[in-house]
Amino acid sequence: MSVNSEYFTVPELEAKAKELRRTVVNMVYQAKSGHLGGSLSMVEMLVALYYRQMRVDPKNPKWEDRDRFVLSKGHTAPAYYAVLADKGFFDRSALLTQYRQLNSILQGHPDCKKTPGVDMSSGSLGIGLSTACGMALGAKRLGKNFRVYCIVGDGELNEGEIWEAIMFAHFHRLDNLTVLVDKNKMQNDGLTSEVMDMDELDDKWRSFGWSVYHVDGHNIQDILTALNQPSDQPKVIICDTIKGKGVSFMEMNIKFHGGCPTKEEYEQAMKELA
Amino acid sequence: MVRSFRDALSRTLLQIAEEDQTVIVLTPDLARAVRIQDFSAKYGSQFVSGGISEANLVGVAAGLASVGMMPIIVGFSMFVAEKPFEQIRNIIAYPDFNVKIIATHGGICVGKDGATHQAIEDLAIMRILPQMRVFAACDVSQTESLIQTICSSTGPSFLRLGRDEAQDIYENDGCITNVGGADVLRDGSDVAIVAIGTMVGNALQAAEELEKEGVDAAVINAYSLKPLNESLLLSYFDRCGCVVTAEDHLVAGGLGGAICELSAKKRVIPVECVGVMDRFGESGNQAELYEKYALTPQAIVAASRKVMGRKHECE
C-alpha cells in the first residue's frame, strides 16, 4: 500500500509549511470568512503528521487500514483542507472556490461525508477527542494496527468532555492514540490565561496517566521526535505555538481568531510569506 | 403475561452480538441498571464500559462506527438521549453514523426516582433530528423485534423502552416490526386511537370501555414514530374522522405533535392528545403517576368522547 512514498527532508517540510500558510491566508481572504489564527498556529503539526508520520493513501481515502486523523478544533479547517489538497485527496482548485461556499465539498467545519480525506466530522468543540478514542478503541477491538492522531486546541480544553475522553483513553489503554495540543494561548474572547486558565497543562494530562511531551510547535523535527517516542499509554504532545504564526501583525492578535484580512492586510501577509 | 423490558433487552443483545462480531455495546455505568451485566460478562470484547460520562460515550460510538463497528448505546433515556443531545445531533445524526441508541426509562413510568429521571422529551428531541429514526416498544415481544429491526437497517436509530414490566400486547412473541411500520391492533370506525410505547395497553383498554358505550374505536400502535406510517394513519383519519393520541411523553413534540402535524398538513380533522401536559413529573409509582397525570384508559375514553363531539367542527 502506498504511503507517503515521497520523502521530505525537514528543510523541505519547512518550505512546505510556508507554502501552506500562503494557501491558508488566500483561502480565508477569498472566502471572506474563516479562522486564520488557529490555522496558522498548527501548520507544522499537520505537516509533520501528513508528510511524514501518517500512513494514508490519497488515491484510496477510505483505505481501511489507514491511520486516522481528527481535527477536534474543527474551525481551523483551512490549514487541514490545504494539506489534504496538497496531498492529492481532492483538486486544489477547490480551496479557493469552494471553502465555505454553497454546494461545496469544503464546509466551514470538517465534514467526513463531503470532503475526501476527512476521517471525522468536527466543529463543536470537545467532541473530536471522544471520536478519536472511539477510532482507537475500534482498532483494538477489530485487531487492526492503524494509529489515531487528534489535534485539539488549548481553549478547547475548557470542555468537560475533553477530560472525559482523556480519562477514557487511559482506562482503555489506548496506546494507539496520539493527541497534539495546539497551545497557541488564545481563544475566542482573548488570552486563555484570562478566559479560563488551564495551566499547568502537562501536569493535568500526566495525572490522568498519559505520556506527556512538550515541544516547540513550530519545530517540525521536535514534533517528529516526540511523535516517534514509544509509549504504552496514550500520548499527548503539547505544542507551544504562536496564534497567527508567520504573519507579523496576525501573531497573537485576537482580531485574526475569526476575522478576515482587508485587501491591504492580505497583500502585506502575502509579502511576509513570500 | 407481564414481562420485563430490560430482560428482553439483555436477551436480544446477546443474540445480536453472537451473530455479528462488529456489534459493540456501550453503557455509561448502567449495565446493572439496564440488566445487561450478562452481556458484559459473556461478550467482554464487544462491551465498552464508559463510566458516567455520556457525552464522551456518544463521541466514542461515532468513532467506532467510523471504523466499521455497529455501536449500540444502552442506558436511561434521560442520560443517553437528553444529556448528550448536542453530541447526538452533531456526531451521530449529522454524519449519519450507524449508531443505535436503546433507551430504557422513557416516560413518567420511571416512577419513584422522580422528575430528574423521567424522560418525557426524548421522543420529541430525537424526532426533530434529520436522519434519525425513532421507535418505541410497547411490550417484550415488540422490544425484541424492534432491536432486530434497528440493527438490521443502516443508520442512526433511537429506540425507547419503558422502565419496568409491561403486559404482553403481542401474543406468543409474534410481533413483527418494520422501519416505518404501524400495527392496527383493533379495527374501528368512530375514533382512531393512536398510541405508542407503554400507552398501547391503555389504549386497548380504553377501546374496550368505549365498545360498552357503543363506540367503535380503532387502536393503532405507531411504534415507528419516525418515519411515520402516514398512509395507514391517513386511511384511519379518513375512516374515523377524528383522532386521539396516547403517549407517556409530553404531548408537545412527541406522538401528539407528529399526529397534529400530519393532520394539519394532510387532513383537517379534530385531534385530542393524551400525554403529559407541559409540566414535569414527580415521584410515585407508575399507577399513581398515570392517574395523576391523566395517562389512564379513562383519560383516553374521555378524550375519545370529546374528539368525537368535535367532528362537526371540520365538516
Side-chain angles (χ1 to χ4, degrees), chain A residues 68 111-114 119-121 124 127 130-131 133-135 137-138 141-142 146 161 164-165 167-168 171-172, chain B residues 24 44-50 53-56 59-60 62-64 66-67 69 86-87 90-91 94-95 97:
Chain A
R68 296 328 196 257
D111 186 325
C112 63
K113 298 288 169 176
K114 293 199 163 99
D119 296 319
M120 181 54 71
S121 299
S124 172
I127 303 180
S130 300
T131 65
C133 287
M135 292 166 156
L137 182 68
R141 296 293 171 96
L142 294 168
F146 62 78
E161 184 178 346
E164 294 181 2
M167 175 173 72
F168 183 94
F171 176 71
H172 288 281
Chain B
I24 187 161
S45 65
Q46 287 171 262
F47 177 80
V48 181
S49 171
S53 50
E54 296 84 357
N56 178 61
V60 167
L64 287 164
S66 80
V67 299
M69 303 198 81
E86 194 259 7
Q87 282 80 0
N90 272 323
I91 207 64
Y94 174 53
F97 280 130

Side-chain angles (χ1 to χ4, degrees), chain A residues 73-267:
Chain A
K73 42 175 290 205
H75 55 287
T76 58
Y80 186 24
Y81 295 158
V83 167
L84 291 177
D86 187 61
K87 290 287 291 182
F89 282 98
F90 52 85
D91 195 304
R92 77 178 67 214
S93 67
L95 296 174
L96 298 185
T97 57
Q98 296 213 28
Y99 172 54
R100 289 186 170 244
Q101 306 305 309
L102 191 65
N103 301 320
S104 148
I105 65 161
L106 301 180
Q107 295 293 298
H109 293 80
D111 186 325
C112 63
K113 298 288 169 176
K114 293 199 163 99
T115 310
V118 170
D119 296 319
M120 181 54 71
S121 299
S122 61
S124 172
L125 295 176
I127 303 180
L129 182 54
S130 300
T131 65
C133 287
M135 292 166 156
L137 182 68
K140 289 188 172 290
R141 296 293 171 96
L142 294 168
K144 291 184 173 288
N145 69 357
F146 62 78
R147 295 193 60 87
V148 182
Y149 298 91
C150 177
I151 296 183
V152 301
D154 54 352
E156 184 181 12
L157 299 179
N158 297 171
E159 291 275 8
E161 184 178 346
I162 288 282
W163 299 94
E164 294 181 2
I166 291 170
M167 175 173 72
F168 183 94
H170 169 67
F171 176 71
H172 288 281
R173 298 284 186 272
L174 302 181
D175 56 4
N176 52 352
L177 172 65
T178 299
V179 172
L180 296 94
V181 178
D182 181 3
K183 191 171 191 294
N184 63 28
K185 303 160 201 74
M186 297 188 92
Q187 56 194 104
N188 194 61
D189 278 355
L191 293 168
T192 55
S193 59
E194 292 171 3
V195 178
M196 183 53 67
D197 192 4
M198 299 295 288
D199 278 336
E200 295 291 329
L201 261 191
D202 300 34
D203 293 345
K204 287 188 171 69
W205 288 80
R206 200 171 284 119
S207 72
F208 277 76
W210 285 53
S211 298
V212 181
Y213 295 85
H214 198 131
V215 303
D216 172 355
H218 299 304
N219 185 318
I220 294 171
Q221 184 57 61
D222 285 359
I223 297 169
L224 285 168
T225 301
L227 282 170
N228 286 291
Q229 297 300 314
S231 171
D232 57 3
Q233 283 297 335
K235 183 199 292 183
V236 60
I237 305 170
I238 295 170
C239 300
D240 263 313
T241 60
I242 295 165
K243 193 149 183 163
K245 170 74 175 177
V247 180
S248 60
F249 59 90
M250 291 183 183
E251 290 189 357
M252 302 310 284
N253 181 353
I254 197 65
K255 177 181 158 192
F256 292 102
H257 168 83
C260 178
T262 62
K263 184 166 185 293
E264 293 69 30
E265 287 167 338
Y266 167 72
E267 283 165 359

Side-chain angles (χ1 to χ4, degrees), chain B residues 94-116:
Chain B
Y94 174 53
D96 202 20
F97 280 130
N98 191 25
V99 174
K100 318 301 177 187
I101 301 170
I102 302 180
T104 66
H105 295 63
I108 61 170
C109 69
V110 164
K112 295 185 178 179
D113 279 341
T116 56

Side-chain angles (χ1 to χ4, degrees), chain B residues 14 90 126 137 154-155 221 235 288 313:
Chain B
L14 283 166
N90 272 323
M126 291 295 111
T154 305
N221 176 11
S235 73
E288 292 165 342
E313 294 172 10

Side-chain angles (χ1 to χ4, degrees), chain B residues 5 8-9 12-13 15-16 70 72 99-103 123 133-162 170 173-183 195-198 200 221-227:
Chain B
F5 282 111
L9 173 63
T12 315
L13 289 179
Q15 275 172 20
I16 287 174
M70 183 167 77
I72 304 175
V99 174
K100 318 301 177 187
I101 301 170
I102 302 180
L123 293 174
R133 298 190 182 115
V134 182
F135 306 88
C138 68
D139 73 355
V140 161
S141 178
Q142 189 159 56
T143 299
E144 293 172 347
S145 177
L146 279 171
I147 293 173
Q148 296 284 356
T149 293
I150 63 172
C151 290
S152 57
S153 65
T154 305
S157 292
F158 174 77
L159 168 60
R160 184 202 220 215
L161 310 177
Y170 293 86
D173 291 329
C175 182
I176 297 168
T177 55
N178 295 294
V179 175
D183 286 336
I196 196 166
T198 52
V200 171
N221 176 11
Y223 62 82
S224 177
L225 181 59
K226 184 185 175 189

